[in-house]
């Protein structure tokens, strides 16, 4: 029985939260819904650990849904790269059930709690599905599953701030435009090649010479995903959505949603298209590179002037997306490795930061920096977590942020791009300013209301915050796991290792997988 | 590159229809301030992509893709149709969610016009109060 289960792990990864989601709603009780969410998210976390252990050595799992062989059937394809992203998403997803109950109690009416868990599990399903699938159209479907549930989750912040409704609506409009552009690009690819399987697409695209339809398809996919990852200047939906969503939702989205969209972009840039495709190289050099640098500066500068702490961190996220895109534009393995490392490190750091802010908002009732004066003395553990996360955001040595920036800068030097290298350091200084503003208010200023008794955050919130902040330090001191996983992922993306599937799981034909040794395919 | 002759343009009429529909939808989304009109524009925009897929799957002289005894039967490519069935479901869900949000926005803010909403939000930002039922525009 157990052996049969392990053969279906790739599918169970998405099926478990998908089935758990409606159960939460059917039972209706928020305690049962919470229990179901906890079990489902822990299960996906365990599965992703097992999957990563199987593929970290460079092998590839190909799971044929319903036993239909690709390229006709839908394939779930797991390699070192997406197993790593799965680990990030499900890891943070497993922390949210611990963090959420105390946080949403004050932010969402009790009657909606079971709906919150339903939407949360659907969002998790979508994000894991996008990551696990090897079929381009399936990516679109899962992307929309996660996006639609995200819009609902953002709108749930309406009790605390009614602007959550309008920001969810704007997010819906922009997200749908992005998804439609993306699916239009896929349609053009399908018309050109007659296939939607990513690996098959890659083979067929190689055969097409300079082709205008292909360029148009590439541009639509880039812009569509650009909207989803909040690539500057397509980031307008993000600050409001993050600022007015419930804190638990913001922490989850900031850590996972944009990361998964960046994963999808990398998948398309490297697995479907490749550096052999000249239009992609030109676009990266002449469009994405300047936009990434502008994001690093424009968003950081805007962040400095924010009064709302959640918005401040949201703008900082847009700047961080700039770093991730910058890594790709160096057109080298080091650059892609830097992007993947930063994807992980930033997920951990920003997740932790938003969790700390959620705890502050819970106790002070306001995310405005002005109202949080004196928080350093009243909530020492939460503020300490924030400062630690802030250090990682800046990229101080011994934090995860330093490792990302180190790799980014070495990739820049390797590509002889010394100007971006200097700009990376310069924009990190901007991060010093906006983090300092918060630190100054929290530690050096008198409390806004000294007579008001403020308690430390609830223990479960504090623990989950510190798990992520602790991780951002752990991976800053001992980066061997992240760099190993990221470089294995980069090898896989750039095709420098054999990426044909070694483990093929065909469920309906036989429950025993055909395992072939490396390279015998 | 082929010359833009009359025949070239006519032979690709489905693409021209798709482009027109798409740009109309996109224009409505961007230019209209009424949230419901935005959703309608978004629908047009999505439908244009559905039509692109479906027209690409059509084979001239082909029938519905159902197995018959005749091995020479020509039928249209069913895959784009199936894909678009899924995309239509996504589109319906998006529209439903968008309309549900509009209802909540109307209940909370008393308006579904973008410029009025911006003004109400600005007032909320400065005074911290939502307009009361009488004070609503």
């Amino acid at each position: 029985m157990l052996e049969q289960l392990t053969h279906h792990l790739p599918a169970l990864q998405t099926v478990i939260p998908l089935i758990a989601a409606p159960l939460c709603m059917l039972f209706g009780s928020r305690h049962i819904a919470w229990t179901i969410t906890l079990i489902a998210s822990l299960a996906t976390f365990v599965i992703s650990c097992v999957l990563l252990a199987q593929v970290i050595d460079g092998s590839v799992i190909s799971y044929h849904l319903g036993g239909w062989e690709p390229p006709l059937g839908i394939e779930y394809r797991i390699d070192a790269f997406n197993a790593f992203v799965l680990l990030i998403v499900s890891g943070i997803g497993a922390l949210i059930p611990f963090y959420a109950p105390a946080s949403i109690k004050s932010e969402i009416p009790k009657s909606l709690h079971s709906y919150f868990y339903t939407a949360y599990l659907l969002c998790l399903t979508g994000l894991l599905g996008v990551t696990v699938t090897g079929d381009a159209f399936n990516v679109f479907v899962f992307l929309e599953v996660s996006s639609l549930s995200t819009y609902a989750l953002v709108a749930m912040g309406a009790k605390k701030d009614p602007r959550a409704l309008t920001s969810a609506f704007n997010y819906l409009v922009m997200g749908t435009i992005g998804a439609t552009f993306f699916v239009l690009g896929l349609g053009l690819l399908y018309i050109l090649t007659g296939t939607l399987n990513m690996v098959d697409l890659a083979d067929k695209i190689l055969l097409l010479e300079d082709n205008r339809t292909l360029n148009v398809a590439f541009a639509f996919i880039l812009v569509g995903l650009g909207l989803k990852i909040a690539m500057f200047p397509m980031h307008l939906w993000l600050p409001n959505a993050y600022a007015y969503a419930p804190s638990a939702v913001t922490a989850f989205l900031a850590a996972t949603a944009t990361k998964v969209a960046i994963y999808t972009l990398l998948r398309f840039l490297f697995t479907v298209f490749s550096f052999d495709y000249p239009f992609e190289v030109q676009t990266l050099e002449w469009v994405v590179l300047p936009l990434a640098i502008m994001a690093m500066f424009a968003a950081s500068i805007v962040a400095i002037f924010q009064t709302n702490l959640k918005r401040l961190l949201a703008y900082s996220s847009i700047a961080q997306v700039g770093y991730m895109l910058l890594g790709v534009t160096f057109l080298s393995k080091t650059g892609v490795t830097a992007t993947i490392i930063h994807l992980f490190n930033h997920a951990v750091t920003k997740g932790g930061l938003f969790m700390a802010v959620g705890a502050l908002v819970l106790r002070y009732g306001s995310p405005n920096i002005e109202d949080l004066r004196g928080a350093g003395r009243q909530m020492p553990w939460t503020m300490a977590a924030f400062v630690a996360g802030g250090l990682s955001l800046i990229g101080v040595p011994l934090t995860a942020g330093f490792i990302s920036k180190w790799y980014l800068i070495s990739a820049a030097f390797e590509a002889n791009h010394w100007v971006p290298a200097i700009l990376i350091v310069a924009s990190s200084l901007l991060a010093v300013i906006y983090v300092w503003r918060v630190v100054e208010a929290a530690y050096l200023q008198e409390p806004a209301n000294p007579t008001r008794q403020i308690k430390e955050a609830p223990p479960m919130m504090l623990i989950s915050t510190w798990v992520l902040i602790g991780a951002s330090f752990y991976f800053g001191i001992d980066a061997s796991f992240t760099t190993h996983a990221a470089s294995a992922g980069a090898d896989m993306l750039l095709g420098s290792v054999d990426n044909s599937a070694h483990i093929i799981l065909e469920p309906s034909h036989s429950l025993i997988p055909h395992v072939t040794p490396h390279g015998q395919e | 590159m082929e010359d833009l002759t009359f025949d070239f343009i006519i032979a690709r009429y489905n693409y021209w229809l798709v482009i027109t529909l798409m740009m109309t939808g996109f224009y409505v989304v961007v230019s209209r301030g009424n949230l419901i009109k935005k959703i309608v524009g978004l629908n047009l925009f999505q439908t244009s992509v559905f039509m692109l897929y479906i027209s690409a799957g059509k084979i001239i002289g082909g029938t519905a893709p159902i197995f018959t005894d005749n091995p020479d039967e020509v039928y249209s490519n069913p895959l784009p149709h199936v894909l678009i069935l899924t995309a239509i479901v996504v589109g319906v869900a998006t529209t439903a969610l968008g309309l549900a949000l509009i209802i909540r926005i109307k209940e909370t803010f008393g308006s579904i016009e973008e410029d009025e909403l911006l003004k109400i939000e600005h007032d909320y930002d400065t005074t911290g109060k939502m307009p009361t039922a009488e004070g609503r525009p």
Side-chain angles (χ1 to χ4, degrees):
Chain A
M1 181 62 198
L2 188 69
E3 200 175 336
Q4 289 187 4
L5 267 183
T6 55
H7 295 156
H8 292 281
L9 286 184
L12 284 174
Q13 181 84 304
T14 53
V15 167
I16 290 175
L18 185 65
I19 291 179
L23 286 182
C24 285
M25 206 158 94
L26 286 175
F27 282 111
S29 147
R30 63 198 164 93
H31 300 291
I32 298 177
W34 178 79
T35 319
I36 294 173
T37 309
L38 182 71
I39 294 168
S41 55
L42 285 178
T44 57
F45 179 60
V46 172
I47 292 173
S48 69
C49 291
V50 175
L51 287 175
L52 182 64
Q54 283 178 11
V55 297
I56 190 98
D57 59 351
S59 50
V60 178
I61 300 175
S62 164
Y63 178 87
H64 304 172
L65 271 186
W68 295 94
E69 275 195 29
L72 283 178
I74 291 174
E75 180 192 19
Y76 278 7
R77 202 178 170 86
I78 296 162
D79 59 25
F81 179 38
N82 61 4
F84 188 48
V85 178
L86 281 179
L87 184 79
I88 302 173
V89 175
S90 62
I92 300 200
L95 275 177
I96 293 294
F98 293 104
Y99 180 85
S103 170
I104 61 174
K105 207 157 71 183
S106 73
E107 289 180 335
I108 302 174
K110 279 208 176 70
S111 56
L112 292 180
H113 281 193
S114 56
Y115 296 105
F116 166 83
Y117 291 117
T118 308
Y120 164 70
L121 281 173
L122 282 176
C123 188
L124 188 65
T125 309
L127 295 174
L128 294 170
V130 170
T131 316
V132 86
T133 188
D135 183 273
F137 198 82
N138 216 227
V139 169
F140 162 73
V141 176
F142 276 122
L143 205 59
E144 282 310 87
V145 169
S146 73
S147 298
L148 285 168
S149 44
T150 307
Y151 310 145
L153 284 171
V154 170
M156 282 186 185
K159 183 191 164 197
K160 191 154 183 67
D161 194 319
R163 281 171 291 185
L165 292 171
T166 43
S167 49
F169 186 82
N170 284 333
Y171 187 9
L172 179 133
V173 170
M174 293 205 199
T176 307
I177 291 174
T180 311
F181 272 155
F182 176 67
V183 84
L184 179 61
L186 290 185
L188 294 173
L189 283 185
Y190 178 73
I191 292 171
L192 271 173
T193 61
T195 182
L196 284 165
N197 182 284
M198 288 189 193
V199 179
D200 201 31
L201 266 175
D203 291 343
K204 299 214 164 122
I205 284 172
L206 273 184
L207 303 176
L208 300 167
E209 301 283 305
D210 187 29
N211 186 316
R212 199 187 308 151
T213 312
L214 188 64
N215 295 351
V216 173
F218 176 79
F220 271 120
I221 290 175
L222 182 70
V223 173
L225 289 174
L227 266 163
K228 293 273 180 191
I229 63 180
M231 180 170 131
F232 185 86
M234 293 178 276
H235 63 272
L236 293 172
W237 57 268
L238 188 140
N240 278 349
Y242 280 17
Y244 304 129
S247 303
V249 174
T250 312
F252 181 64
L253 290 184
T256 57
T258 48
K259 307 297 171 293
V260 167
I262 288 174
Y263 158 80
T264 317
L265 182 67
L266 291 179
R267 206 29 113 192
F268 273 88
L269 286 180
F270 299 113
T271 303
V272 177
F273 298 94
S274 69
F275 284 151
D276 300 333
Y277 170 47
F279 185 70
E280 173 180 321
V281 175
Q282 288 161 14
T283 312
L284 286 177
E285 276 183 336
W286 296 103
V287 180
V288 179
L289 178 73
L291 287 180
I293 291 178
M294 275 157 75
M296 281 156 45
F297 281 91
S300 298
I301 291 170
V302 176
I304 293 173
F305 295 102
Q306 294 304 312
T307 50
N308 181 323
L309 187 48
K310 276 182 162 179
R311 277 178 82 92
L312 184 152
L313 289 179
Y315 275 106
S316 144
S317 277
I318 298 164
Q320 304 292 324
V321 166
Y323 292 117
M324 289 172 221
L325 292 174
L326 189 65
V328 181
T329 63
F330 295 140
L331 309 173
S332 66
K333 196 205 146 189
T334 326
V336 177
T337 312
T339 300
I340 302 173
I341 292 179
H342 195 46
L343 199 133
F344 177 85
N345 289 344
H346 181 248
V348 169
T349 308
K350 212 25 113 24
L353 276 169
F354 268 117
M355 282 186 174
V357 173
L360 292 171
V361 172
L362 177 73
R363 289 299 188 224
Y364 284 87
S366 155
N368 289 335
I369 297 175
E370 209 174 288
D371 300 324
L372 297 175
R373 277 175 297 173
R377 266 154 291 169
Q378 289 171 317
M379 296 175 72
W381 284 99
T382 311
M383 257 336 275
F386 185 89
V387 174
L391 291 178
S392 178
L393 204 57
I394 297 164
V396 175
L398 296 183
T399 62
F402 176 72
I403 306 286
S404 326
K405 293 214 169 126
W406 176 264
Y407 268 82
L408 258 181
I409 291 172
S410 32
F413 279 123
E414 201 181 282
N416 277 329
H417 279 16
W418 56 271
V419 178
I422 295 170
L423 293 176
I424 292 168
V425 178
S427 67
S428 301
L429 294 177
L430 293 173
V432 177
I433 303 177
Y434 60 70
V435 172
W436 174 251
R437 275 193 58 213
V438 184
V439 173
E440 191 201 2
Y443 285 97
L444 303 182
Q445 292 182 15
E446 287 304 311
N449 190 352
T451 51
R452 193 170 154 208
Q453 287 297 314
I454 301 282
K455 278 190 301 188
E456 183 54 86
M460 284 321 268
M461 287 174 86
L462 210 52
I463 291 169
S464 27
T465 309
W466 271 102
V467 166
L468 284 182
I469 297 294
S472 88
F473 273 91
Y474 177 78
F475 293 116
I477 295 164
D478 176 14
S480 55
F481 168 71
T482 41
T483 49
H484 179 59
S487 95
D491 274 335
M492 199 53 79
L493 277 182
L494 298 177
S496 48
V497 292
D498 168 37
N499 63 352
S500 53
H502 307 116
I503 305 169
I504 296 169
L505 304 170
E506 284 176 347
S508 77
H509 295 164
S510 142
L511 287 170
I512 301 150
H514 311 299
V515 180
T516 52
H518 281 234
Q520 278 196 7
E521 286 283 296
Chain B
M1 181 192 158
E2 298 95 324
D3 290 319
L4 271 177
T5 58
F6 185 69
D7 284 346
F8 178 86
I9 292 170
I10 288 298
R12 284 158 183 77
Y13 71 95
N14 57 327
Y15 295 119
W16 298 113
L17 287 178
V18 167
I19 293 170
T20 313
L21 197 56
M22 186 174 182
M23 287 303 121
T24 312
F26 198 40
Y27 177 77
V28 172
V29 175
V30 175
S31 68
R32 295 294 115 175
N34 185 301
L35 301 188
I36 296 210
K37 287 184 183 167
K38 270 186 193 293
I39 290 289
V40 172
L42 209 57
N43 262 317
L44 273 179
F45 182 63
Q46 288 179 310
T47 309
S48 72
V49 179
F50 302 164
M51 286 180 54
L52 174 81
Y53 273 77
I54 292 170
S55 64
K58 174 68 183 167
I59 290 169
I60 294 168
T63 62
I66 298 168
F67 258 124
T68 53
D69 294 332
N70 178 10
D72 299 327
E73 191 85 77
V74 177
Y75 52 82
S76 295
N77 183 354
L79 187 68
H81 299 188
V82 177
L83 297 177
I84 288 316
L85 272 181
T86 317
I88 288 173
V89 174
V90 171
V92 169
T94 312
T95 310
L97 185 58
L99 292 175
L101 280 172
I102 292 174
I103 293 174
R104 293 288 311 279
I105 289 173
K106 173 78 180 166
E107 283 171 1
T108 315
F109 294 88
S111 169
I112 55 165
E113 296 292 332
E114 208 172 33
D115 46 350
E116 289 172 8
L117 286 171
L118 279 175
K119 194 175 163 297
I120 297 171
E121 289 192 343
H122 180 76
D123 292 347
Y124 180 81
D125 228 7
T126 43
T127 62
K129 284 197 197 83
M130 289 298 286
T132 51
E134 305 85 62
R136 279 173 184 166

